[in-house]
Amino acid sequence: MPALELGRQRDRTAVLGLFLAAALVAVQSVCNAPPRFPSAELKEEYQGITSFSYNSKVEYVCRPGYIRNVNARSTLICGRHKTLSSKPCAYPGEPDNGRLVVAENFSFGSTVSFTCNTGYRLVGNPQIQCMLKNGVVTWDRDIPICEPIPCLPPPKIANGEHSDADKELFEYGASVTYWCHTVRRGETPFSLVGDASIFCTTTDNINGVWNKPAPECKVVNCEYPSVKNGKVLSGYRHTYAYRDTVMFDCNFRYTMNGSETSTCKENGLWDPPLPLCQLSSCDDPPDVRNAFKAKLAGNLFPVDTIITYECKEGHQFSPGENTWHIKCLPGFTWSETPQPCERIHCPNPDVKNGKLLNALRENYAYGDTLEITCNDGYAFKGHGNSIVLQCSSDGRWDPEVLECTPERHCPRPDTAHGTEVYNSRNDYTVGTQVRLGCDTGYVLRGQDLTECQADASWAPPLPFCDKVCDPPPQITNGQHSGLRTEKFPYGAEVTYSCAEGLSLIGDASIYCTSDDGVNLAWSGPAPECRVVRCPKPTVERGRMTPQRFTFPYGVAVQFSCDEGFVLHGDAESRCLADSAWHPPLPTCQPGGYQTRADSGIALVQLHEWGCFVTGGLGLTEGLRQEGDAQHVGPCSSLMPSVFVLVLLKKKRDTCEKILQNREAFQCGVPLTELKTLLEVQKLYLEIQKLERDLRSTTNG
Ligand SMILES: *[C@@H]1O[C@H](CO)[C@@H](O)[C@H](O)[C@H]1NC(C)=O
Ligand SMILES: *[C@@H]1O[C@H](CO)[C@@H](O)[C@H](O)[C@H]1NC(C)=O
């Protein structure tokens, strides 16, 4: 016998031995090749054979390096030792609603088990074994069956019933639904307490049970859900039954503690429990007389809210204090109620040299007014002698109480030749108004009404009285412009006018003036109004311009002489008060160019050989006295007074003399005479030519 599993393998050997002892004798079953061992091998004669008949024997010997264990067997017999019989059982199949639990394989001696699907229970033996029966390897018994797990009929309940009441068999998974019986009108209906449906299940996979107790049908009433300081917001009804749900809300300034919804439970209680409405705000802060609450935001005042009161204008809580704070305490009460604000008081005024008018009060407060006046002879500086004070919001008098000081007077308005027409007071104290007038013969200069100012001066300044001229003299047959004027002060002017047809002789206007700076008088005598007619002026061989037919006072006429005659005397004469012409009328005498008495024109140009002059009468006369003028002749018959002279060189000093007087000759050039000037210029140019000719003749 080979040493099987020697030493270290003793246990395995013992098991093998046990198997061999338990082995059953088989019929003509064929064994496969015997097993191989690490310590022993088949004797040579059995090697290579793969099939053995029932009861045939194989023998082992130890492999080199192993020695035989005397207690271990060294032979195996087919059909007796399991290791040699490996023919398996057939697949046993599976029960309906169940399944086979495969251990390893279906080999000889192996066991397989079965389980049922959920809801089914196993009837029979859960295990079968592969064994030798009548020499054949087969299963020792039939496979089990799986039958549905049954429940007992669902429980009956009072006042209700369930579905499938006529059914007898309730298998795993079946469910039933309960309902309560209806009640007659007016009776409280039953509430189904618990789940309406139950179903058949199992806990041990053998017997069925209902998953939970059947519901109950009973009358469930919850009491009215009253929440203090709160109200039912929704779900309101008369009575509350199982599962009724209500929603709550808290009153203003209350906060909910708990759930805002609650449901009536089967035990007749609300769940979750009804909430509490807890006060969460102080009341409105109290009103305080003469104060207002500053910066009040909203109307909820949680604990620690601070309210500030401010006194109205002119009021205070205590001297200097016009605010007050209160706080909402944890018990939702205000820390205090402030005192009312009191009116601010002003001190009683102490008026020196004065008194209070209508001083009815002892005590003056904000807004009160008070009139004080100064005693006679005293006044407030700049305020007259009476003043109204008002007690202001800061407890002071407005304006401040002033002192009555000795009154100030303006100087008596002493105006020379003036009188006081009116005064508002006769002591001329500050504020007095005075109106002044002047004596007859004087006029008032400045503003007549003036007032005494705080600085004891009159404003506007006092006027003064100015002397006036006597009314201007009246004249016969005429009048002056000052008839409606009362006074004629210095500078006043009047103008006389005469009746129609009369001439005004003398100055038409006179004015009030003064020679010595003291006395006033008219600047001259008044003019006269009378008839003045001059005879028609006649100048032989002369003409008069303008042409007219009457010659009253003041008329002036001009005269000129016919050609070839020269005017002797003044060219203009005027009719004066003595009805005669002044200066006397001129005469026209035959003669050269001295026919005009008025000034002419002169053009003097100095040349190396002399000078060239055009000019009027005065000039020619001067020249004639010199005796050496060379007469060139008149420039034009239209302008006989204009002529041209050429002086010789030796008369150079005469030319210079003329030049010095040139301005005298240039007066009154009428525009028309410019033409003449141009002609003169032309003439001059001709003279120049003549000069050149002369020179060439002298040289030749
Ligand atoms: C069957 O299972 C046994 C135990 O695991 C094993 O020894 C044997 O070799 C298996 N037989 C087959 C044919 O797989
Ligand atoms: C809510 O009420 C309970 C019971 O009165 C109280 O103990 C709890 O403090 C309250 N909660 C609040 C936040 O006030």
Side-chain angles (χ1 to χ4, degrees):
M1 202 168 173
L4 296 177
E5 310 291 318
L6 289 176
R8 294 165 295 176
Q9 298 289 339
R10 257 178 238 277
D11 293 348
R12 173 84 65 90
T13 314
V15 172
L16 181 65
L18 190 68
F19 267 105
L20 292 176
L24 297 167
V25 177
V27 284
Q28 292 88 346
S29 173
V30 176
C31 283
N32 296 326
R36 295 165 61 87
F37 298 104
S39 56
E41 61 184 345
L42 279 176
K43 275 193 172 165
E44 206 164 350
E45 65 230 58
Y46 305 114
Q47 287 183 0
I49 304 169
T50 58
S51 181
F52 295 87
S53 62
Y54 184 68
N55 260 347
S56 62
K57 188 172 100 177
V58 291
E59 204 169 343
Y60 288 82
V61 291
C62 287
R63 290 185 195 271
Y66 290 87
I67 56 162
R68 169 100 188 272
N69 179 351
V70 287
N71 295 324
R73 112 181 21 252
S74 63
T75 59
L76 289 174
I77 297 165
C78 174
R80 194 176 297 172
H81 297 129
K82 188 188 172 189
T83 47
L84 294 179
S85 169
S86 60
K87 199 154 187 214
C89 278
Y91 172 69
E94 287 186 327
D96 286 345
N97 301 311
R99 60 186 193 282
L100 174 66
V101 181
V102 180
E104 268 144 17
N105 53 40
F106 305 136
S107 63
F108 175 77
S110 68
T111 314
V112 295
S113 12
F114 297 89
T115 61
C116 288
N117 292 345
T118 315
Y120 293 85
R121 64 184 178 187
L122 193 131
V123 178
N125 203 312
Q127 282 191 332
I128 56 173
Q129 190 171 31
C130 180
M131 61 190 306
L132 205 59
K133 206 181 203 175
N134 301 329
V136 178
V137 179
T138 184
W139 297 103
D140 62 344
R141 60 174 76 89
D142 289 340
I143 62 171
I145 61 165
C146 290
E147 69 171 17
I149 297 173
C151 271
L152 291 173
K156 298 222 174 305
I157 59 165
N159 305 316
E161 55 194 289
H162 62 77
S163 56
D164 291 332
D166 49 350
K167 221 165 129 182
E168 278 171 9
L169 191 60
F170 294 90
E171 291 177 347
Y172 178 88
S175 73
V176 291
T177 302
Y178 287 85
W179 61 86
C180 294
H181 292 150
T182 51
V183 294
R184 279 190 295 250
R185 274 176 71 127
E187 284 181 20
T188 313
F190 294 109
S191 299
L192 188 82
V193 176
D195 281 341
S197 293
I198 59 175
F199 60 87
C200 176
T201 183
T202 181
T203 50
D204 57 4
N205 281 321
I206 295 169
N207 294 306
V209 288
W210 294 99
N211 69 317
K212 56 173 72 170
E216 290 177 78
C217 283
K218 56 180 185 177
V219 174
V220 175
N221 275 321
C222 277
E223 63 177 16
Y224 179 78
S226 133
V227 173
K228 205 172 166 199
N229 299 312
K231 54 188 170 295
V232 171
L233 201 62
S234 73
Y236 177 83
R237 51 192 78 194
H238 279 296
T239 57
Y240 292 88
Y242 181 60
R243 283 195 171 141
D244 283 345
T245 295
V246 283
M247 190 176 242
F248 304 98
D249 192 21
C250 287
N251 294 345
F252 180 55
R253 288 180 180 155
Y254 285 84
T255 303
M256 191 171 292
N257 176 355
S259 169
E260 65 173 13
T261 60
S262 191
T263 304
C264 178
K265 291 293 177 188
E266 70 271 17
N267 57 4
L269 295 178
W270 291 100
D271 185 68
L274 299 184
L276 296 175
C277 282
Q278 296 174 322
L279 191 59
S280 61
S281 165
C282 275
D283 283 342
D284 282 331
D287 286 335
V288 171
R289 194 146 47 83
N290 295 324
F292 55 87
K293 297 156 202 164
K295 291 175 250 145
L296 211 55
N299 47 15
L300 283 179
F301 309 102
V303 171
D304 288 346
T305 302
I306 290 178
I307 300 295
T308 300
Y309 288 88
E310 282 179 14
C311 289
K312 290 198 295 193
E313 190 179 17
H315 292 75
Q316 62 188 10
F317 285 110
S318 57
E321 277 308 324
N322 63 352
T323 58
W324 193 300
H325 307 284
I326 63 169
K327 186 171 170 181
C328 181
L329 298 178
F332 298 107
T333 55
W334 292 106
S335 54
E336 63 202 303
T337 299
Q339 300 300 310
C341 292
E342 300 295 345
R343 276 215 290 175
I344 286 175
H345 287 270
C346 281
N348 281 352
D350 175 24
V351 189
K352 283 203 184 70
N353 301 316
K355 56 185 177 293
L356 312 184
L357 283 188
N358 312 320
L360 300 175
R361 283 170 204 274
E362 292 275 288
N363 215 325
Y364 295 91
Y366 167 68
D368 287 347
T369 56
L370 174 68
E371 186 173 6
I372 54 180
T373 53
C374 289
N375 296 341
D376 286 343
Y378 290 87
F380 298 109
K381 251 189 191 136
H383 284 87
N385 65 354
S386 166
I387 191 171
V388 175
L389 307 178
Q390 184 161 34
C391 181
S392 67
S393 62
D394 58 0
R396 278 191 281 211
W397 288 105
D398 181 35
E400 277 182 78
V401 180
L402 296 166
E403 217 179 308
C404 288
T405 50
E407 225 167 350
R408 301 194 68 176
H409 299 263
C410 275
R412 169 180 293 279
D414 209 2
T415 301
H417 307 289
T419 47
E420 252 178 68
V421 179
Y422 156 82
N423 63 30
S424 62
R425 261 179 263 152
N426 51 21
D427 54 0
Y428 307 117
T429 50
V430 172
T432 302
Q433 287 192 332
V434 169
R435 191 185 298 280
L436 293 167
C438 288
D439 300 340
T440 355
Y442 291 85
V443 68
L444 186 122
R445 301 286 198 170
Q447 299 273 335
D448 61 342
L449 188 68
T450 179
E451 184 174 327
C452 182
Q453 305 295 310
D455 63 353
S457 73
W458 293 103
L462 290 176
F464 53 91
C465 290
D466 235 0
K467 243 184 177 163
V468 290
C469 277
D470 296 332
Q474 303 283 355
I475 56 167
T476 45
N477 302 321
Q479 59 180 27
H480 61 76
S481 58
L483 283 178
R484 291 178 211 286
T485 313
E486 279 174 23
K487 292 185 173 174
F488 299 89
Y490 181 84
E493 189 182 63
V494 290
T495 303
Y496 287 85
S497 54
C498 291
E500 177 109 41
L502 298 186
S503 297
L504 187 133
I505 315 298
D507 288 332
S509 294
I510 56 173
Y511 52 93
C512 180
T513 183
S514 175
D515 287 336
D516 52 9
V518 177
N519 297 302
L520 294 181
W522 292 102
S523 54
E528 285 178 78
C529 286
R530 51 188 168 86
V531 181
V532 173
R533 290 281 182 276
C534 280
K536 181 180 177 184
T538 19
V539 174
E540 294 272 321
R541 302 190 205 287
R543 293 182 299 275
M544 173 185 73
T545 48
Q547 280 291 336
R548 53 186 305 150
F549 302 100
T550 60
F551 303 93
Y553 175 78
V555 158
V557 289
Q558 282 90 39
F559 303 97
S560 56
C561 293
D562 297 342
E563 190 131 345
F565 291 83
V566 176
L567 192 88
H568 280 257
D570 290 304
E572 188 183 270
S573 191
R574 192 176 288 273
C575 175
L576 292 187
D578 56 358
S579 300
W581 293 98
H582 294 274
L585 298 180
T587 55
C588 286
Q589 308 269 335
Y593 304 98
Q594 301 160 2
T595 51
R596 281 187 55 166
D598 60 335
S599 57
I601 54 168
L603 181 82
V604 180
Q605 283 174 319
L606 194 62
H607 299 281
E608 49 189 294
W609 45 266
C611 64
F612 165 69
V613 179
T614 66
L617 178 70
L619 172 64
T620 50
E621 240 155 21
L623 289 174
R624 204 177 305 127
Q625 279 161 18
E626 298 289 332
D628 262 310
Q630 185 177 343
H631 230 154
V632 177
C635 300
S636 151
S637 60
L638 276 174
M639 291 289 160
S641 66
V642 176
F643 52 89
V644 174
L645 297 174
V646 176
L647 302 177
L648 296 183
K649 192 171 186 171
K650 56 182 179 181
K651 292 296 176 188
R652 185 182 179 93
D653 50 344
T654 310
C655 289
E656 280 165 3
K657 201 166 156 192
I658 294 165
L659 276 173
Q660 278 166 14
N661 291 318
R662 187 166 53 175
E663 280 176 14
F665 301 109
Q666 284 181 328
C667 57
V669 183
L671 204 64
T672 50
E673 293 189 5
L674 280 174
K675 191 180 156 206
T676 312
L677 275 174
L678 288 173
E679 284 173 8
V680 168
Q681 186 69 16
K682 187 179 159 202
L683 194 63
Y684 163 68
L685 291 172
E686 281 169 11
I687 291 165
Q688 274 189 318
K689 189 169 173 267
L690 184 71
E691 179 199 5
R692 276 196 302 277
D693 292 348
L694 269 171
R695 211 178 296 151
S696 62
T697 329
T698 320
N699 292 350

